[in-house]
Amino acid sequence: MMWWCLLLLFCVSSALGYFSPDEVLSLPGLSTTLYFRQWSGYLQASSGKHLHYWFVTSQQNPLKDPVVLWLNGGPGCSSLDGFLSENGPLHVNDDGSTLYINKYSWNKVANVLYLESPVGVGFSYSDDKNYATNDDEVAENNYLALQDFFRKFPNFTRNDFYVIGESYGGIYTPTLSMTIANGPAKINFKGYAVGNGLSSTYFNDQSLVYFGYYHGLFGDTLWSQLNRYCCKDGSCNFFNNSDNNCKDSLKEVFTIIYDSGLNVYSLYMDCAGGIQGNLRFLRDLKNLFHFYQFEVVENTEDSSNLDPPCINGTAQRTWLNRADVRKALHIPENVQSWELCSEVVGENYQRIYSTMQDFYLQLLSKGLRVLVYNGDTDMACNFLGDKWFVQSLNQQKTLDYQPWIYNKQIAGFYEQYGNLTFLTVKGAGHMVPQWAPAQALKMFESFLSNSPY
Ligand SMILES: *[C@@H]1O[C@H](CO)[C@@H](O)[C@H](O)[C@H]1NC(C)=O
Ligand SMILES: *[C@@H]1O[C@H](CO)[C@@H](O)[C@H](O)[C@H]1NC(C)=O
Ligand SMILES: *[C@@H]1O[C@H](CO)[C@@H](O)[C@H](O)[C@H]1NC(C)=O
Ligand SMILES: *[C@@H]1O[C@H](CO)[C@@H](O)[C@H](O)[C@H]1NC(C)=O
């Protein structure tokens, strides 16, 4: 009689999360008491694909606050960068030895699920080690992983749910959102947000030339060449122009922005490692001027890491690759070591969509709320391209472009079209929660609670 009773108790309790083997009870390099719970382990996607997740509960009211899925981009970059240096509750110090509390963590107001996707990224892996994938497969696998998440954490199935993605997450997020909205799983899906996202390669490339010129990056020789060779009758095509002189001028634009020593992710910040620092990256992330297939100079001297240009991921890499940290996060020994971005995933990734227009239109028509936000100094996915993208959706404007305020200062600008908001974060680069953390938390809170910015 006793034994099955105990067994039943165990099953019920573990279903409620009492004895979940994924729970993280202590972390190397952390000495403070935490006011939230956390789990790290694997969610199963399609057969043999294991996606690493790290889930933190809200510091306020876990059972009532929304659940938010956070996705970094690339393709091929890890969402643990989001955790450890953007909006996660614990950040890693410079030498990768200790963790400290991020007081602007997004788990102040939400339960946040960080998912390393697709397989091959960070600690995510597949049994067959085949890491070639594409936009549709990623959406499908993220959806399967999400269903596995709600199976593991049934307490959270009734909470409101949102997806938020950054950069190439501009593709991951609407595609996954569509899969959720049309899928059988009972998820209380309310909306999605995209930060410095790739929403349309046309608008992203087209706007970048104006962004560069009007931020003082090109001289008048280049500017008049661009106008002479890429424009006709007052309209310019920088996206897929077949004129060879135009192509040569755009190659110069590309080199200045991506390959000269400027920090493409944050115009007014230094480039880690100086002007050579951006050459460490072995490959282009292929998000800019894709049509022309411009080559990036390779630096064969230092291929010791796969950080994006001008970004220094040493601290995260050092901490995450410690044996005791891997153990605490429940990473099996045979799983690859952690990199900020995976070369094999990036190189073999097949892009299916060049615009998210249809996805946005359908998702808006289902009554979902959508936020498109951009740090306005980023050049990888610049604010103007996303603004033009949002405007191209032709939704009825309900609020004119105007500033929003944080701490008695203008924090940026925004405009609204019913449930669709476009918002800038003034002076922030590509990683908004990292470089404008307080403003980002306020924005996040306003979006979730559907209150004024
Ligand atoms: C689920 O809810 C139960 C009862 O409120 C609680 O004891 C348990 O810790 C919760 N589990 C998780 C994973 O939050
Ligand atoms: C150039 O891009 C536009 C906009 O996406 C598209 O309609 C057109 O077919 C493209 N032309 C070429 C030559 O690729
Ligand atoms: C990257 O950061 C580490 C500290 O985390 C530092 O030792 C190293 O010099 C930095 N590298 C570059 C290229 O900035
Ligand atoms: C906006 O979203 C709400 C739900 O949050 C929905 O009820 C409403 O119909 C949507 N409005 C439009 C114009 O789609």
Side-chain angles (χ1 to χ4, degrees):
M1 171 91 179
M2 240 359 239
W3 69 268
W4 66 260
C5 187
L6 276 172
L7 194 68
L8 187 69
L9 186 69
F10 176 80
C11 293
V12 169
S13 313
S14 60
L16 291 172
Y18 286 109
F19 302 127
S20 165
D22 288 353
E23 185 150 16
V24 175
L25 298 168
S26 70
L27 280 170
L30 181 71
S31 44
T32 24
T33 312
L34 299 177
Y35 297 97
F36 58 88
R37 294 175 71 186
Q38 54 183 333
W39 293 262
S40 167
Y42 286 87
L43 300 173
Q44 305 313 316
S46 62
S47 141
K49 290 185 163 57
H50 314 276
L51 292 175
H52 174 240
Y53 78 96
W54 191 345
F55 176 55
V56 293
T57 58
S58 168
Q59 299 183 34
Q60 236 175 137
N61 191 343
L63 293 180
K64 284 227 174 81
D65 293 338
V67 173
V68 174
L69 169 65
W70 170 265
L71 294 166
N72 282 86
C77 300
S78 162
S79 299
L80 295 195
D81 188 48
F83 191 115
L84 293 171
S85 56
E86 295 189 68
N87 51 31
L90 303 169
H91 283 185
V92 61
N93 75 335
D94 276 353
D95 68 12
S97 65
T98 48
L99 294 175
Y100 61 94
I101 305 277
N102 166 25
K103 62 179 189 172
Y104 300 110
S105 172
W106 286 10
N107 87 329
K108 293 258 164 159
V109 294
N111 304 286
V112 189
L113 169 62
Y114 295 84
L115 186 67
E116 296 197 282
S117 168
V119 284
V121 172
F123 290 135
S124 295
Y125 66 98
S126 71
D127 296 339
D128 64 7
K129 298 198 165 49
N130 173 6
Y131 295 133
T133 189
N134 63 51
D135 295 335
D136 286 339
E137 256 180 42
V138 169
E140 189 54 35
N141 282 311
N142 287 345
Y143 181 60
L144 291 170
L146 193 58
Q147 287 174 279
D148 197 25
F149 169 80
F150 284 115
R151 265 192 298 273
K152 270 193 186 189
F153 296 92
N155 278 11
F156 294 93
T157 46
R158 264 173 291 177
N159 302 41
D160 285 351
F161 178 75
Y162 295 86
V163 185
I164 305 195
E166 182 180 277
S167 194
Y168 201 77
I171 307 286
Y172 296 156
T173 301
T175 50
L176 171 61
S177 295
M178 189 75 94
T179 312
I180 297 170
N182 292 335
K186 280 207 167 54
I187 294 175
N188 202 0
F189 188 35
K190 295 293 184 198
Y192 67 91
V194 164
N196 290 73
L198 189 64
S199 306
S200 145
T201 50
Y202 169 75
F203 286 120
N204 195 46
D205 290 346
Q206 189 71 7
S207 58
L208 185 58
V209 177
Y210 297 99
F211 183 103
Y213 179 66
Y214 291 107
H215 282 79
L217 311 184
F218 320 144
D220 287 311
T221 310
L222 177 55
W223 184 239
S224 40
Q225 281 169 7
L226 287 162
N227 279 284
R228 186 173 330 132
Y229 300 128
C230 308
C231 308
K232 223 194 296 184
D233 306 326
S235 102
C236 303
N237 174 7
F238 302 123
F239 173 62
N240 57 4
N241 205 306
S242 52
D243 183 294
N244 276 329
N245 290 316
C246 173
K247 184 179 171 180
D248 290 346
S249 309
L250 289 169
K251 170 82 210 239
E252 272 186 66
V253 167
F254 176 77
T255 303
I256 291 166
I257 286 174
Y258 196 79
D259 215 7
S260 69
L262 289 176
N263 187 335
V264 67
Y265 300 108
S266 183
L267 175 56
Y268 302 109
M269 281 178 71
D270 284 345
C271 176
I275 59 169
Q276 295 301 310
N278 66 328
L279 301 180
R280 286 178 306 153
F281 203 40
L282 285 176
R283 65 189 162 83
D284 174 12
L285 282 169
K286 297 193 178 70
N287 290 331
L288 297 180
F289 299 115
H290 193 47
F291 176 82
Y292 306 99
Q293 308 278 318
F294 296 138
E295 293 287 314
V296 178
V297 185
E298 284 189 12
N299 181 358
T300 44
E301 279 162 41
D302 185 1
S303 55
S304 58
N305 69 63
L306 297 168
D307 293 345
C310 299
I311 300 295
N312 186 347
T314 305
Q316 296 102 295
R317 190 165 36 252
T318 304
W319 187 76
L320 285 167
N321 286 328
R322 280 170 57 163
D324 54 354
V325 170
R326 287 176 61 113
K327 194 155 179 244
L329 295 177
H330 312 117
I331 311 301
E333 272 174 23
N334 57 348
V335 169
Q336 75 268 6
S337 57
W338 189 89
E339 281 290 346
L340 184 42
C341 297
S342 156
E343 191 171 30
V344 62
V345 172
E347 290 282 297
N348 296 295
Y349 195 91
Q350 190 203 341
R351 290 146 195 264
I352 294 176
Y353 302 105
S354 59
T355 175
M356 286 290 104
Q357 200 168 46
D358 291 347
F359 287 84
Y360 275 67
L361 292 174
Q362 285 190 52
L363 291 162
L364 284 165
S365 76
K366 290 176 192 286
L368 293 169
R369 286 195 301 109
V370 179
L371 168 67
V372 174
Y373 68 90
N374 283 71
D376 65 7
T377 68
D378 177 32
M379 301 188 286
C381 299
N382 76 85
F383 78 93
L384 194 57
D386 278 315
K387 186 173 142 110
W388 288 351
F389 169 75
V390 166
Q391 290 168 346
S392 78
L393 299 174
N394 282 317
Q395 302 292 293
Q396 173 106 43
K397 190 179 269 183
T398 48
L399 193 71
D400 253 323
Y401 203 65
Q402 57 182 272
W404 62 285
I405 313 292
Y406 174 78
N407 201 15
K408 297 191 206 154
Q409 300 288 339
I410 290 182
F413 297 85
Y414 75 119
E415 62 192 13
Q416 289 184 312
Y417 303 81
N419 286 330
L420 171 66
T421 301
F422 171 77
L423 177 145
T424 67
V425 183
K426 181 172 64 86
H430 195 72
M431 290 78 145
V432 168
Q434 179 171 356
W435 291 324
Q439 291 85 339
L441 178 58
K442 185 194 168 184
M443 172 196 79
F444 180 66
E445 227 176 326
S446 298
F447 171 62
L448 295 181
S449 57
N450 198 13
S451 48
Y453 286 92

